[in-house]
Amino acid sequence: MRLVAMEKKEHFSYKAICPGCGEETLAVEELYDEIPGLGKAVLVSMYCPKCGVSAYHEIPLENRGIRRVEFRVSGGKDLSARVIRSPTGKILIPELGLELSPGSRPVGFVTNVEGVLQRFLEVAEQLAGIEEGPKREEAEMAVKRIRSAMGGILPFTIIIEDDLGNSAIIPPE
Ligand SMILES: [Zn+2]
């Protein structure tokens, strides 16, 4: 990727080798923009008309120093708050006992609070299916708590700690 010196809302589009079909048919668009709660970032969208591969990434461009963001989720509308997790962001939900640390292959993602819960739910359901004994019970409890949280029954706080300060939680309008 080219991270060029940017003007506000600078826009590039070009063709690249598609990771799906290996042809040079991947249409890539890069838009440099200011994102509320995040600052300067590059939005990258890709689409291959030949094999249908598509992806969208939002990559922050500023190092803002260590930053911790917190968002209290107490109702259905809060679940739609936008969550921008940079590759260095660690997500914590203390009330649900959940933690997502940057792993060995850290990736950033953009989703909403519900999408974050969905990720945790998938992991907990997998664990509940393969673990035995107390670990299985623990995973089953986690599944129940996450479902309650997704249903708006269980209020919780979502926290992101980011060494480079490039993660954000943007409340719904
Ligand atoms: Zn393709």
Side-chain angles (χ1 to χ4, degrees):
M1 185 155 316
R2 304 161 307 153
L3 294 181
V4 296
M6 63 192 157
E7 299 294 322
K8 215 170 173 246
K9 298 234 179 203
E10 206 169 342
H11 182 266
F12 297 94
S13 52
Y14 55 95
K15 292 264 197 283
I17 303 283
C18 172
C21 63
E23 301 287 321
E24 200 172 340
T25 46
L26 190 73
V28 184
E29 289 198 39
E30 294 180 8
L31 176 69
Y32 293 79
D33 201 0
E34 292 262 349
I35 296 173
L38 193 62
K40 291 190 180 76
V42 53
L43 318 181
V44 186
S45 67
M46 300 169 210
Y47 174 67
C48 175
K50 194 161 171 252
C51 70
V53 159
S54 71
Y56 176 76
H57 300 287
E58 220 168 85
I59 301 156
L61 295 174
E62 292 178 59
N63 177 354
R64 313 170 142 248
I66 295 173
R67 191 161 69 140
R68 180 187 163 100
V69 290
E70 273 193 44
F71 182 66
R72 180 78 182 154
V73 181
S74 49
K77 200 177 143 205
D78 298 334
L79 290 168
S80 64
R82 199 164 168 215
V83 176
I84 299 172
R85 186 253 186 155
S86 90
T88 51
K90 175 176 171 181
I91 300 183
L92 301 153
I93 305 181
E95 294 92 336
L96 304 178
L98 302 175
E99 186 180 316
L100 179 67
S101 298
S104 53
R105 287 182 58 211
V107 287
F109 55 76
V110 180
T111 181
N112 56 20
V113 174
E114 194 175 6
V116 172
L117 290 175
Q118 186 62 42
R119 279 166 187 261
F120 280 121
L121 182 64
E122 280 163 19
V123 173
E125 281 177 338
Q126 268 180 12
L127 288 176
I130 56 174
E131 295 285 1
E132 301 288 343
K135 282 194 165 177
R136 182 184 203 125
E137 280 168 37
E138 212 175 280
E140 284 170 348
M141 285 300 294
V143 168
K144 279 186 194 151
R145 286 197 302 267
I146 297 166
R147 290 222 175 101
S148 302
M150 289 174 97
I153 301 161
L154 182 61
F156 59 94
T157 311
I158 178 165
I159 300 164
I160 309 182
E161 293 173 351
D162 193 325
D163 287 349
L164 301 183
N166 281 321
S167 296
I169 303 171
I170 303 166
E173 293 304 312

